[in-house]
Amino acid sequence: MIIIVDFGSQTTHLISRRIKELGAPCKVIVPENIKEINKKETKGIILSGGPASVYAKGAPSIDPEIFSFNIPILGICYGFQLMAKLLGGKVVAGKREYGPAGLKISNFKFQISNGLPKAFVVWMSHGDEIIELPKGFTTIGSTEHFPFAFVNNLKKKIIGVQFHPEVEHTEFGSVVLKNFIEICNIKTAEHLIDTEEIEKNIKKIAGESYVIGAVSGGVDSTVASTLAANAIGKKFIPIYVDNGLMRAGTREHLKEIFDHIGINLRIIDAKKETLIKLKGVTSPEEKRMLIGKSYIRVFEKEMKRLVKQGKNVEYLLQGTIYSDVIESKGTKHAAKIKSHHNVGGLPKNMKLKLLEPLRHLYKDEVRRLGKKLGLPEDFVRKQPFPGPGYAVRIRGEVTAQRLQREKQADAIVLAELEKAGVLQNVFLSFPVMTSAYSTAVKGDGRQFGEVIALRIIESKDIMTTTWARLPYDLLQKISSRIVNEVPGISRVVYDITTKPPATMEWE
Ligand code: XMP
């Protein structure tokens, strides 16, 4: 198998997904456990990226002995920089680069560059730079800013890439990884996500317990619910907490979906309490904690009610997926980007145990599962919507008035994208109430109103994102409708930032 050494990258788990998709078995370990690797079974080693700088105090490192194992090694980003430093090269705090860059291949004579074109787009996410390669390395490719973006040591079978071949937006990334698997001489076999296996596992974990399901109206929690319903039938009790922060129509849509699945959905109205709890709260982390906690308290109340009826409830099913986990500091060396309400935003003293069957999957994998499970196509392709809903799309305090404006603007964006026939092509679209104010002249009068930022993006797995290149006329139409129809809005700006560096949501 291939051993992936995790230095805390947001995309280490994504590397393992890609390797498995290409048919090779792999395992992720932390660098501290390198001594435990079995040299006979290990056919290749990948050193992941990570948030640290190789010279930072406490930065994770690795025993340099691995470079004499005579096993092919691929160093990615931080993994490449660490390798360069340990082998005698020079790494400095250099030009930072986050997002797309053009890579030019100058050397085609190595197996690792098989099948690559002369130039293609790769994605970067780093602050340090290698300015001197260790002895024995040859350059394969460079970008405008980085002469050593792709290098190889043929004799030692060590490859280094400054870019991320594992992310969706790096063109030919899977070709680089496939070439590496071939260099490792691994026999590949098809890798499938087995729904029956997941269902069996849910049944095993739940045992005699009833399971409460946290349903949000999105694809993830609905797919998790379908799996749970298949696994334990009527012992699964899905609950939707309507806190008024979700898109219009969610409640009705959910009822339809759960009728389709054939389970009764319990709906709990918490609209008033939620707004009261959010009064005066401006910090995004605090909003997430508050919402995460209030969801759990509602579910615990339900648990008590069911226990009184003689039903033993131990578990809460959530549709958590891997992108939620990793952004909430899901691994030892990872940085915390934000505490997703269903992961880092949960209260410490929870009475319910979590059941998260999709915790290791990505959005596009969950969509495929949903399709396989027979969920309607338009539902499976539905835009994701964050658990804390509009609360994290309104910067600063969430008041009833700002919530109303956000909802109105959101409906306009959705309607116009639909009318233009592009709604199905975008991954996510939403207005952000920015808390920034600007001057407008409306009907010859002055207005000092709030600025709305439009975020309309394309992605598959949530890990990387580009902004949607929509026709100008469509953007104009959306902008005009928002400033004309939504009270108190003075201006609309279009967010043209990729992820990385910007996250999808603003908070
Ligand atoms: P970011 O902004 O982190 O968004 O790039 C990635 C995806 O996660 C959603 N999101 C959340 N989902 N709880 C959730 O269930 C949260 O606290 C949360 N924050 C962001 C976001 O809408 C996008 O789909």
Side-chain angles (χ1 to χ4, degrees), residues 288 327 338 340-342 384 386-388 462 499 503-505:
R288 285 193 160 86
E327 287 201 340
K338 54 182 77 167
H340 282 242
H341 84 287
N342 49 341
I462 293 189
K499 169 181 176 174
T503 59
M504 293 184 171
E505 304 290 340

Side-chain angles (χ1 to χ4, degrees), residues 220 288 323-324 327 337-343 363 384-389 392-393 427-428 430 462 465 499 502-507:
D220 308 337
R288 285 193 160 86
S323 43
D324 303 336
E327 287 201 340
I337 310 301
K338 54 182 77 167
S339 305
H340 282 242
H341 84 287
N342 49 341
V343 189
K363 182 63 89 184
F385 199 74
V392 290
R393 293 179 175 175
F427 182 78
L428 205 52
F430 59 91
I462 293 189
T465 300
K499 169 181 176 174
T503 59
M504 293 184 171
E505 304 290 340
W506 269 42
E507 292 207 324

Side-chain angles (χ1 to χ4, degrees), residues 129-144:
E129 176 187 2
I130 297 166
I131 54 162
E132 214 175 287
L133 282 181
K135 273 199 196 108
F137 280 81
T138 313
T139 302
I140 296 178
S142 314
T143 64
E144 185 187 350

